[in-house]
Amino acid sequence: NAGVTQTPKFQVLKTGQSMTLQCAQDMNHEYMSWYRQDPGMGLRLIHYSVGAGITDQGEVPNGYNVSRSTTEDFPLRLLSAAPSQTSVYFCASSYSRPQTNTGELFFGEGSRLTVL
Amino acid sequence: GENVEQHPSTLSVQEGDSAVIKCTYSDSASNYFPWYKQELGKRPQLIIDIRSNVGEKKDQRIAVTLNKTAKHFSLHITETQPEDSAVYFCAASPLTGNQFYFGTGTSLTVIP
């Protein structure tokens, strides 16, 4: 059971380049989300999805796009990278609430992105 | 939207002492409050959670308390050990949604 898998683990981009962070989960979770982690800022929600075909914005969505074509995958796209997007990105998934009592978020290992 | 504040940002304690981390939230619709531990270079992992119909929950050396009226909740770690050293995040989430809003984190150092 792999849990939540993120790729790549490390990436260096130049300003203006585009890239996609991949996220896949094998736990049949309805809910998937992307967070960015910056020093002193905690984990901030970028985008989330409550099921295939449904996505919504979180706290800091600007500069990022997402799609959810399958239950398993939730890629995060940076269309034109900026230095302000240098961060560690975490994908996380969980069962939907309140259908289940547990609300535990399962995180991927993180992707460290540097934009020069 | 929800705003979660967490204090202190850093905390150092001697091994064996207790540590307390406090969080406040703003949205009265929030009713689920998990705590995550993140060791250096690792992913956050759930250590304990509490729902709004419960005032306190304990799991061995870890306890969480919730005051819904005041909109604050706290993490208590007793008999701290060096392996407790990590960054701890509180979070709040509404019942009918899965969004989790995190605090800014507390870096706990347990000094042997």
Side-chain angles (χ1 to χ4, degrees), chain B residues 15 80-86 109-112:
Chain B
E15 182 177 357
T80 54
Q81 301 168 2
E83 52 264 38
D84 294 329
S85 295
T109 301
V110 179
I111 304 165

Side-chain angles (χ1 to χ4, degrees), chain A residues 4 31 35 37 40-43 45 48 50 59 90 94-98 100-105 107-109, chain B residues 2 31-32 36 38 41-46 49 51 87 89 93-105:
Chain A
V4 180
Y31 178 81
Y35 288 86
Q37 183 174 26
M41 304 289 285
L43 293 154
L45 182 63
Y48 64 97
V50 298
E59 303 167 274
F90 285 97
S94 74
Y95 290 109
S96 283
R97 296 169 54 239
T100 177
N101 284 329
T102 178
E104 180 175 2
L105 269 179
F107 285 84
E109 291 184 309
Chain B
E2 176 66 277
N31 73 340
Y32 175 65
Y36 285 80
Q38 185 180 29
K42 300 286 184 64
R43 71 189 87 188
Q45 292 190 299
L46 179 71
D49 57 14
R51 286 169 174 77
V87 177
F89 292 98
S93 179
L95 173 64
T96 55
N98 274 92
Q99 303 94 301
F100 290 79
Y101 297 94
F102 285 84
T104 49

Side-chain angles (χ1 to χ4, degrees), chain A residues 11-21 63 76-82 85 113 115:
Chain A
Q11 183 72 51
V12 179
L13 290 178
K14 294 181 180 178
T15 297
Q17 287 186 317
S18 62
M19 78 157 298
T20 299
L21 297 174
L76 178 72
R77 297 184 185 86
L78 285 72
L79 297 179
S80 179
Q85 293 178 304
L113 175 66
V115 183

Side-chain angles (χ1 to χ4, degrees), chain B residues 19-33:
Chain B
V20 180
I21 303 170
K22 299 182 179 182
C23 289
T24 61
Y25 62 98
S26 61
D27 190 349
S28 57
S30 290
N31 73 340
Y32 175 65
F33 307 94

Side-chain angles (χ1 to χ4, degrees), chain B residues 33-86:
Chain B
F33 307 94
W35 287 87
Y36 285 80
K37 176 183 180 182
Q38 185 180 29
E39 297 176 350
L40 190 62
K42 300 286 184 64
R43 71 189 87 188
Q45 292 190 299
L46 179 71
I47 55 171
I48 195 167
D49 57 14
I50 192 167
R51 286 169 174 77
S52 61
N53 57 348
V54 175
E56 181 175 359
K57 182 177 179 180
K58 291 185 72 173
D59 183 3
Q60 299 182 347
R61 296 186 297 108
I62 295 173
V64 58
T65 59
L66 171 66
N67 183 328
K68 276 216 77 177
T69 302
K71 295 196 183 74
H72 66 71
F73 56 113
S74 300
L75 178 71
H76 304 253
I77 306 174
T78 58
E79 301 172 23
T80 54
Q81 301 168 2
E83 52 264 38
D84 294 329
S85 295

